[in-house]
Amino acid sequence: MRPSRNTRGVLRQVHLWMGLVLGLPFAVIAATGLPVTYWYASDALFAPGYYAGTISKPRASFDALAASARKAVPTANLQSVVLLPDYGTAQAALTLSGGKQREVSLDAATGRVIGVRSLDDAAISWLYSVHTRLALDRAGLDLAGRIAVMLLAAMFVVLALSGVILWWPRSWRWRVLAPTIRPRHRWLDLHNKSGIYALVPVALAAATTLLLEFPATRTLGGEIPPVVAFKANPGAQPLEQLARLASAATPGRPLLGVFGIEEPVPLQVTTGDEWGGYRWITVDRRTGRLLLISSSRPRDLPGPPDASFLISLHQGHRWGSMGQAVFAIASLVPLLLYASGVTHWVNRRRRSYDRSRSRCRS
């Protein structure tokens, strides 16, 4: 049911000025979600030499890869080794004293060190900072960035609802969804149709942003513990053997990585399938006994709390690679909405000004 004329007038003003003021920063946040969704592919575009591995040869063991990473950054604790078979590389994450992180790229076949870098210096990390904090965290304003992103996400939900109400036709027919653009009203039609077509993925991404940034969600787990001197466990089995034992418990899902390697927690092995489904397998380092198989990140693993379900909704890979592609394309729609909305508003202002001048002359 369409609202009254007065209500529509108020909604139109709210929609207009919220879009003009807040549309661009939200569009930037949404657009940077595209490279963040395809993290490794995007990073490989910015730093192709960092992913120059050997694809055809058999993979080196996790123990050999871990040893190469330790040698590259001997003063750090090794957190994880993640396999990237599409590039023939493995990436090891290490933590220095003070919480600073280093990443080592390794040739997955030979264990050769391809490169060492700080995560903060990577271009993809800058894009992630813009996407999640408007880059305010890099100026020491992490809380301000989080609040700004939450407010923008909430305002976009309001924008989406007001836009749907203003667009809703007097009499519903399926042809109102037809991708037709009237030449005289092309910018308005482009604005309306693109907003309606991308409504579900964009609104869902905005809503899950609120949940991901909400303090109650972010405190489900613990903070990263301080780096302590790692004490080798003489009774621990080799990493490769433990990883294969864990992988055998989740058949059909390729082995992705090993986490908590030099951390005071049980070893975690991850496997995943083509639909974005992950399994976290907790393994006893001494006996190789499987302690837990979970579809979400165990809470005793160092780092940010698990939000895998919300992230799968936010990025669309809850519905497989096709859903992820749809959400990635939809992340560019706010830019189109902002450009078409501003252009339509400017054109209307210009026509109104021209009519006023014509009346004055007459």
Side-chain angles (χ1 to χ4, degrees):
M1 182 177 181
R2 287 167 64 90
S4 64
R5 179 174 298 182
N6 291 337
T7 304
R8 286 178 61 83
V10 173
L11 283 176
R12 186 175 288 110
Q13 292 300 312
V14 169
H15 188 82
L16 170 64
W17 292 107
M18 283 183 60
L20 290 175
V21 175
L22 303 176
L24 185 58
F26 185 84
V28 171
I29 291 175
T32 51
L34 175 60
V36 169
T37 298
Y38 296 98
W39 182 282
Y40 294 115
S42 303
D43 193 27
L45 291 176
F46 296 122
Y50 198 69
Y51 289 81
T54 306
I55 299 177
S56 58
K57 293 183 179 180
R59 172 180 65 82
S61 68
F62 276 108
D63 301 275
L65 296 173
S68 297
R70 291 190 191 101
K71 187 176 180 180
V73 191
T75 58
N77 275 9
L78 179 61
Q79 289 185 320
S80 62
V81 175
V82 177
L83 302 176
L84 302 175
D86 291 340
Y87 305 97
T89 62
Q91 288 190 356
L94 303 98
T95 303
L96 297 168
S97 58
K100 294 184 178 179
Q101 291 187 315
R102 291 291 182 271
E103 186 180 67
V104 180
S105 180
L106 304 163
D107 189 305
T110 63
R112 175 179 58 89
V113 175
I114 299 174
V116 181
R117 68 180 182 182
S118 169
L119 285 177
D120 292 337
D121 297 335
I124 189 64
S125 295
W126 278 89
L127 291 175
Y128 180 77
S129 176
V130 172
H131 183 67
T132 58
R133 295 290 182 272
L134 286 173
L136 293 176
D137 57 327
R138 293 181 174 268
L141 301 173
D142 182 82
L143 180 59
R146 182 187 304 178
I147 293 173
V149 170
M150 289 182 66
L151 289 176
L152 284 170
M155 292 301 100
F156 187 83
V157 173
V158 176
L159 269 174
L161 290 175
S162 61
V164 170
I165 294 172
L166 291 171
W167 167 85
W168 199 264
R170 289 185 176 88
S171 59
W172 178 262
R173 294 184 179 88
W174 286 108
R175 67 184 182 185
V176 299
L177 295 175
T180 55
I181 303 295
R182 298 169 295 176
R184 187 176 178 181
H185 304 282
R186 57 184 179 274
W187 291 111
L188 177 61
D189 287 348
L190 180 62
H191 185 82
N192 290 339
K193 296 297 174 65
S194 58
I196 291 299
Y197 292 160
L199 175 64
V200 173
V202 176
L204 184 58
T208 50
T209 297
L210 289 172
L211 295 175
L212 285 167
E213 296 299 337
F214 196 70
T217 305
R218 299 188 59 82
T219 55
L220 288 175
E223 298 295 330
I224 298 176
V227 176
V228 296
F230 175 69
K231 297 180 180 179
N233 190 336
Q237 298 186 25
L239 288 176
E240 184 68 24
Q241 183 175 341
L242 293 173
R244 292 189 179 277
L245 286 172
S247 179
T250 57
R253 289 182 168 86
L255 187 61
L256 296 180
V258 179
F259 293 78
I261 297 175
E262 294 182 355
E263 301 290 347
V265 294
L267 191 71
Q268 313 286 343
V269 179
T270 56
T271 60
D273 60 16
E274 61 179 349
W275 296 102
Y278 298 99
R279 293 294 182 270
W280 294 81
I281 303 101
T282 306
V283 187
D284 187 289
R285 299 175 191 263
R286 286 176 172 269
T287 65
R289 184 168 62 92
L290 305 184
L291 304 176
L292 177 67
I293 300 178
S294 174
S295 59
S296 60
R297 188 183 197 201
R299 294 187 182 185
D300 57 356
L301 191 64
D306 174 65
S308 56
F309 177 74
L310 291 176
I311 292 174
S312 69
L313 293 178
H314 184 77
Q315 297 183 344
H317 62 72
R318 187 73 181 177
W319 298 279
S321 55
M322 182 60 70
Q324 188 172 0
V326 169
F327 273 63
I329 295 173
S331 68
L332 300 177
V333 170
L335 276 175
L336 179 60
L337 290 173
Y338 182 76
S340 58
V342 169
T343 304
H344 173 68
W345 176 71
V346 169
N347 289 342
R348 286 194 62 181
R349 298 279 294 183
R350 183 183 296 120
R351 288 194 295 267
S352 177
Y353 177 73
D354 291 341
R355 286 194 297 267
S356 298
R357 291 190 61 184
S358 298
R359 286 194 296 267
C360 290
R361 289 174 180 176
S362 61

